Amino acid sequence: MAERAAHLVDHVFPRVPVRQWVLSLPHRLRYRLAWDHDLCRAVVGCALRAILGFLRRRAGDAGVRDGRGGAVTIVQRFGGALNTNIHFHTLAMDGVFAKDGDTVRFHPSESLDAADVDEILATITAYLRPVLARHGADAGDGTVEPADPGTEEAPVWAGLTAAAVQGRVALGPHAGARVRRHGVHVTRTEPPGLRPCHARHNGFDLHAGVWVPAEDRDRLERIARYALRPPVAQERLDWTDEGHVRLELRHPWSDGTTHLVFDPVELLERLAALTPRPRIHLLLYHGVFAPRAAWRTRVVQYGKTPDPTARDAHEGAEEHPDGMDRSHGHNYPWAELMRRSLGLNVLACPRCGGRLRLIALIDDPAVVRRVLQHLDLPTEVPEARPARAPPLLAGAPRHDAADEFYVDDPA
């Protein structure tokens, strides 16, 4: 996550404004796209065709000819409740590149409003109709059931994913019930209205309110890390006294739900449904960022100052002012990733503030034992504990559908 975000900022996006486009899909499409990656890429293609086409037309109205845009799309397969929710985070340059003699020049786009986003969403849905019909994923008026290749090829996966899309349990004694919820019950209110640069139509939702200026590279990297994040953070999971797994929601739901409770098997089935099939790419490049784009080399260097004194990464490399080595090959040093993602300079000495360096790597067991004894630390490897039984055994309290929602005592 951190390394890929750093790569996008350092080696892909030039110093130009970037806008994030988030496209959410109807529930019927989330299930189908979780299995059919070809259809998933076709849907992404329709979205990028509409977004980049809009930017190109707007540049053409301003007198820019043959403008070309670029974007990077991250396919997210999960929602905040560990449900299967296929949606797309697209980081697109907010403008286009055009030829300027022997080089290229960036032309920023004008400001965006809700009417523009609504127009783009309408274009996306229009592009999608023939694509979905061609893949057999459009149920039309609802009288014909769409094809479901996942059920025939992987029936177990299909059952797990269908339940995860609907927020229900697929296996065990609670199969078919909704996931248990904890929170303080509140009266449902009207759904929130649309935000600026936000449009919604027939289950499709497009939001483009996050804009990053050209010089704010740190914010661009934070947004990239957010889009590339894993399904759940470790801090949001904990065990209950009954042996269940409790998931803390990032934001309370409209009915007051703050936590979801899973049996261990229920949590595993959710994670299984979120796992993509083998050889599936969830990071896609478009326009001038595409691997074979003719302008890619010139675009990614646009606005960046070349270093004429660049030296080999392994000898005499320049250091960042905070003491961090910024030179690397294909992989980033772990210390730099810690600094960029967590803000920790792990190579800074806590006593004098100087730079820590590797002096020796001790792998001789006898020397390791002497060092541990000198530090009064254990030298014997502890025996492995025997495997424990599952937390839910015969006689454990069963879950009633009527007890689906547990309300905490406000006091």
Side-chain angles (χ1 to χ4, degrees):
M1 173 187 71
E3 185 168 15
R4 181 58 63 183
H7 170 77
L8 291 177
V9 173
D10 290 346
H11 302 292
V12 177
F13 282 99
R15 291 188 177 273
V16 299
V18 175
R19 185 179 296 275
Q20 178 182 231
W21 302 77
V22 181
L23 176 63
S24 300
L25 307 171
H27 286 76
R28 60 184 178 85
L29 279 183
R30 297 176 188 177
Y31 168 78
R32 178 63 186 271
L33 267 58
W35 172 264
D36 193 341
H37 190 62
D38 290 337
L39 176 58
C40 182
R41 295 194 63 158
V43 173
V44 173
C46 291
L48 267 296
R49 179 184 170 193
I51 294 172
L52 298 183
F54 174 85
L55 296 174
R56 187 168 55 250
R57 290 193 303 272
R58 172 166 282 189
D61 294 339
V64 179
R65 302 305 173 193
D66 192 25
R68 305 182 189 182
V72 176
T73 296
I74 298 99
V75 180
Q76 281 196 359
R77 299 176 56 87
F78 55 87
L82 282 183
N83 55 313
T84 300
N85 179 9
I86 307 296
H87 61 289
F88 313 115
H89 288 249
T90 295
L91 301 177
M93 294 184 297
D94 198 29
V96 298
F97 277 92
K99 271 288 189 68
D100 186 9
D102 295 334
T103 183
V104 295
R105 186 163 68 94
F106 183 75
H107 301 269
S109 179
E110 299 177 0
S111 60
L112 201 71
D113 58 25
D116 296 327
V117 178
D118 189 73
E119 175 188 343
I120 295 173
L121 183 58
T123 305
I124 293 174
T125 55
Y127 287 162
L128 279 177
R129 292 191 191 100
V131 173
L132 297 178
R134 188 163 58 249
H135 284 77
D138 190 0
D141 57 1
T143 59
V144 180
E145 188 69 21
D148 185 4
T151 302
E152 300 178 358
E153 301 181 38
V156 175
W157 173 91
L160 296 179
T161 305
V165 170
Q166 302 173 45
R168 297 184 179 273
V169 179
L171 304 175
H174 310 149
R178 291 193 176 276
V179 176
R180 287 160 285 180
R181 297 168 289 167
H182 283 185
V184 179
H185 185 73
V186 296
T187 304
R188 291 181 180 269
T189 59
E190 294 295 326
L194 297 180
R195 295 168 287 177
C197 299
H198 190 188
R200 189 180 295 131
H201 180 65
N202 286 344
F204 292 90
D205 187 286
L206 182 63
H207 181 258
V210 178
W211 182 84
V212 183
E215 298 303 322
D216 198 347
R217 309 295 283 180
D218 290 339
R219 187 184 181 199
L220 178 60
E221 188 169 344
R222 290 195 301 270
I223 293 174
R225 282 202 303 269
Y226 174 79
L228 291 163
R229 72 191 187 279
V232 64
Q234 183 70 30
E235 295 77 14
R236 293 174 54 200
L237 295 172
D238 64 347
W239 290 96
T240 67
D241 296 336
E242 294 79 17
H244 300 150
V245 181
R246 180 168 53 198
L247 170 67
E248 180 184 1
L249 299 176
R250 294 183 64 248
H251 304 287
W253 289 353
S254 59
D255 61 358
T257 302
T258 58
H259 295 77
L260 300 179
V261 179
F262 301 91
D263 292 347
V265 174
E266 296 172 5
L267 179 65
L268 291 177
E269 74 178 44
R270 283 297 181 94
L271 297 179
L274 295 179
T275 304
R277 298 167 61 191
R279 296 176 293 278
I280 294 300
H281 296 287
L282 302 181
L283 186 65
L284 307 174
Y285 297 83
H286 315 273
V288 293
F289 292 151
R292 296 183 181 273
W295 294 359
R296 179 186 171 97
T297 302
R298 285 177 286 181
V299 165
V300 298
Q301 295 298 328
Y302 184 82
K304 300 178 182 178
T305 303
D307 184 6
T309 63
R311 292 165 292 181
D312 186 81
H314 301 287
E315 185 174 354
E318 286 190 17
E319 291 184 358
H320 194 262
D322 61 5
M324 195 65 64
D325 184 0
R326 295 296 297 267
S327 299
H328 52 78
H330 295 290
N331 299 319
Y332 284 73
W334 67 274
E336 183 180 346
L337 293 178
M338 292 288 286
R339 182 190 64 81
R340 297 180 70 154
S341 60
L342 302 178
L344 299 176
N345 189 354
V346 296
L347 295 184
C349 177
R351 296 182 179 180
C352 67
R355 179 178 172 82
L356 299 176
R357 298 184 182 278
L358 180 64
I359 299 176
L361 183 63
I362 303 174
D363 56 3
D364 186 346
V367 179
V368 172
R369 180 182 296 273
R370 291 178 59 186
V371 172
L372 293 176
Q373 289 175 345
H374 176 75
L375 297 175
D376 293 329
L377 296 175
T379 60
E380 300 296 331
V381 179
E383 295 183 2
R385 295 182 179 180
R388 65 172 179 83
L392 295 182
L393 302 174
R398 290 177 58 86
H399 162 62
D400 258 339
D403 298 333
E404 182 179 304
F405 195 93
Y406 297 86
V407 178
D408 296 336
D409 186 359

